[in-house]
Amino acid sequence: MDYPIARRPGFDPPAEFASLREEAPVCPVSLRHGQQAHLVTRYDDVRAVLRDHGRFSSDPSRPGFPQLRPVVDRKAAPGSFLVTDPPSHTRYRRMLTGEFTVRRMAALRPEVERITRERLGTLRSGPRPADLVTAFALPVPSDVICLFLGVPVADQDFFSSRSRAHLDRSLSAEQVRAALEELHGYLADLIRTRRREPRDDLISRLVREPGLTDEEAVGMSVLLLVGGHETTANSIALSVLALQRDRARWEALVAEPSLVDNAVEELLRYLSPVHHGVVRAVTGSAAVGGTALGPGDGVIASLFAANRDPAAFPDPDRLDLRRDARTHLAFGSGVHQCIGHLLARLEMRVALRALVTELPTLHLAVPFEDVEFKFDAPIYGLRSLPITW
């Protein structure tokens, strides 16, 4: 079986995932560069793999590390904590932990609300129909991460286009590499500026960390910049479309906005925007789902399949806004759980609450079947979402 498995328009994972969970929960698959790996689809197995960083490595230099990107990663770039193991991973994460606490998010909330209000005001005063993706879903998290990191908002189009190219699986390795080099160059210049002229932002605080090189600071900033807006932007647009697919769900939030926080968790479970999964290299003897694995084997832990596992979430293909879905794996699990999950949750909650309270009559301006999904990236989303009100 080739992987990734082709998807059809809509929110559901490929139908093959359901049969794999039943019949082959650890299934051999072939990848784009001719590699073989094992696809893991059951919730308990996926969670176990993600939480065992001793036997399942995130380091691309390890034998068997599954390569899903057009560019083959031979080793982890300095500062790229997403693809490093402890102790390096621990060192990088420790520098950032204080930036993503519950207290820090509470302090940031007024700014997130202000940005959301301003972007919604621009959307409402503009022409109809409007594209929710370009007018709201993408700008809100982009503005927030710019503010958070200290990136000038005027440069938003530059980093947005480069980060999208970095994640676009339909582009050639040369195109992806060029986009990433431009993004690295931009951030290297910004980091040198912040060393000379520090401000009250994350990059300024980051470069004051003892022993952190400019190269490491660039690697960390790239992850935060790309991850800090792509996933959330896609999740906001997908959430609105999912709620509009069955208008009763949208109306439920309009009638009861306090339900938004719970709904966000269920939407994250149901949508699972990181749909290609999380990759690991096996470094020791391990048994997953009854399958023996050893050093040199590669594993793809499917967050999407796990979040639709009926053993973890009864009737998993139904979007139930009152379901307790807090145990979902949309942000991963273990030491590599998305460091910005509290920020993503905050942005989604504020954005959806603003839409259902300030724009309750919002509805699609095109038939659902005409909405174009974007599946050629590890984080799926929508190319556009025409709406009116």
Side-chain angles (χ1 to χ4, degrees):
M1 177 184 292
D2 291 336
Y3 193 84
I5 303 169
R7 293 190 59 183
R8 290 174 289 276
F11 308 109
D12 292 333
E16 292 89 337
F17 281 4
S19 58
L20 288 174
R21 275 195 304 264
E22 291 296 320
E23 302 163 13
V26 183
C27 177
V29 292
S30 300
L31 309 183
R32 66 186 301 159
H33 297 292
Q35 274 186 301
Q36 299 294 307
H38 294 82
L39 176 65
V40 181
T41 49
R42 288 180 180 169
Y43 178 93
D44 287 344
D45 295 336
V46 168
R47 187 173 182 273
V49 167
L50 296 180
R51 295 178 72 84
D52 187 350
H53 62 269
R55 289 180 294 182
F56 296 92
S57 171
S58 300
D59 185 347
S61 68
R62 294 278 193 172
F65 184 87
Q67 300 285 347
L68 297 182
R69 298 178 62 224
V71 177
V72 174
D73 298 308
R74 300 298 182 189
K75 63 178 182 178
S80 296
F81 55 90
L82 187 66
V83 287
T84 56
D85 296 327
S88 294
H89 173 267
T90 308
R91 171 178 168 249
Y92 292 138
R93 290 277 294 220
R94 188 176 292 128
M95 295 177 187
L96 296 169
T97 300
E99 301 287 343
F100 293 95
T101 61
V102 172
R103 179 179 294 180
R104 182 74 179 91
M105 293 304 103
L108 188 64
R109 186 179 188 108
E111 287 299 307
V112 175
E113 291 174 339
R114 175 188 61 79
I115 287 168
T116 301
R117 216 168 32 244
E118 290 175 356
R119 287 295 183 174
L120 187 55
T122 302
L123 170 68
R124 294 175 68 178
S125 63
R128 286 182 267 181
D131 177 12
L132 188 76
V133 173
T134 57
F136 185 78
L138 181 59
V140 167
S142 295
D143 287 355
V144 172
I145 201 64
C146 279
L147 173 71
F148 198 51
L149 288 178
V151 174
V153 175
D155 297 334
Q156 184 183 105
D157 288 344
F158 173 87
F159 79 73
S160 291
S161 62
R162 272 60 176 185
S163 68
R164 282 196 295 273
H166 170 48
L167 297 172
D168 192 338
R169 296 298 190 253
S170 70
L171 299 180
S172 68
E174 292 73 22
Q175 290 171 305
V176 173
R177 191 177 291 112
L180 195 54
E181 286 175 357
E182 290 181 347
L183 193 56
H184 275 237
Y186 170 84
L187 286 167
D189 288 342
L190 183 62
I191 283 164
R192 284 191 289 269
T193 299
R194 289 294 182 268
R195 283 196 186 279
R196 296 192 308 268
E197 305 167 9
R199 298 182 182 179
D200 183 18
D201 56 47
L202 190 152
I203 288 180
S204 296
R205 290 188 289 274
L206 192 61
V207 297
R208 290 199 296 268
E209 288 286 341
L212 187 73
T213 67
D214 281 6
E215 205 175 13
E216 289 175 316
V218 167
M220 296 173 76
S221 299
V222 167
L223 282 181
L224 295 171
L225 192 58
V226 175
H229 77 283
E230 285 290 340
T231 307
T232 310
N234 289 321
S235 296
I236 291 170
L238 287 167
S239 294
V240 170
L241 182 59
L243 293 168
Q244 292 286 330
R245 185 73 174 111
D246 182 345
R247 183 73 189 183
R249 295 192 179 100
W250 178 267
E251 298 293 349
L253 293 185
V254 169
E256 191 179 348
S258 62
L259 185 57
V260 165
D261 288 6
N262 194 78
V264 163
E265 299 303 319
E266 170 67 350
L267 285 160
L268 286 164
R269 178 203 70 82
Y270 181 76
L271 298 169
S272 297
V274 183
H275 68 142
H276 286 171
V278 176
V279 295
R280 296 287 187 266
V282 183
T283 60
S285 298
V288 179
T291 299
L293 301 174
D297 286 330
V299 167
I300 304 167
S302 174
L303 309 180
F304 210 155
N307 282 336
R308 294 293 188 96
D309 187 345
F313 302 100
D315 196 8
D317 295 329
R318 182 170 63 90
L319 178 60
D320 179 0
L321 302 184
R322 297 185 183 278
R323 184 199 304 267
D324 183 357
R326 288 174 295 177
T327 56
H328 67 77
L329 299 176
F331 293 111
S333 187
V335 298
H336 282 90
Q337 183 184 38
C338 173
I339 195 169
H341 69 95
L342 291 179
L343 177 59
R345 285 178 159 106
L346 170 61
E347 291 170 327
M348 287 185 67
R349 289 167 179 170
V350 171
L352 288 179
R353 186 182 287 261
L355 287 171
V356 299
T357 55
E358 302 298 325
L359 215 57
T361 60
L362 181 151
H363 58 276
L364 301 185
V366 297
F368 178 84
E369 293 72 23
D370 290 346
V371 176
E372 189 177 358
F373 284 78
K374 180 178 63 178
F375 290 135
D376 50 7
I379 303 166
Y380 86 102
L382 305 174
R383 299 199 182 279
S384 65
L385 184 59
I387 60 160
T388 191
W389 54 93

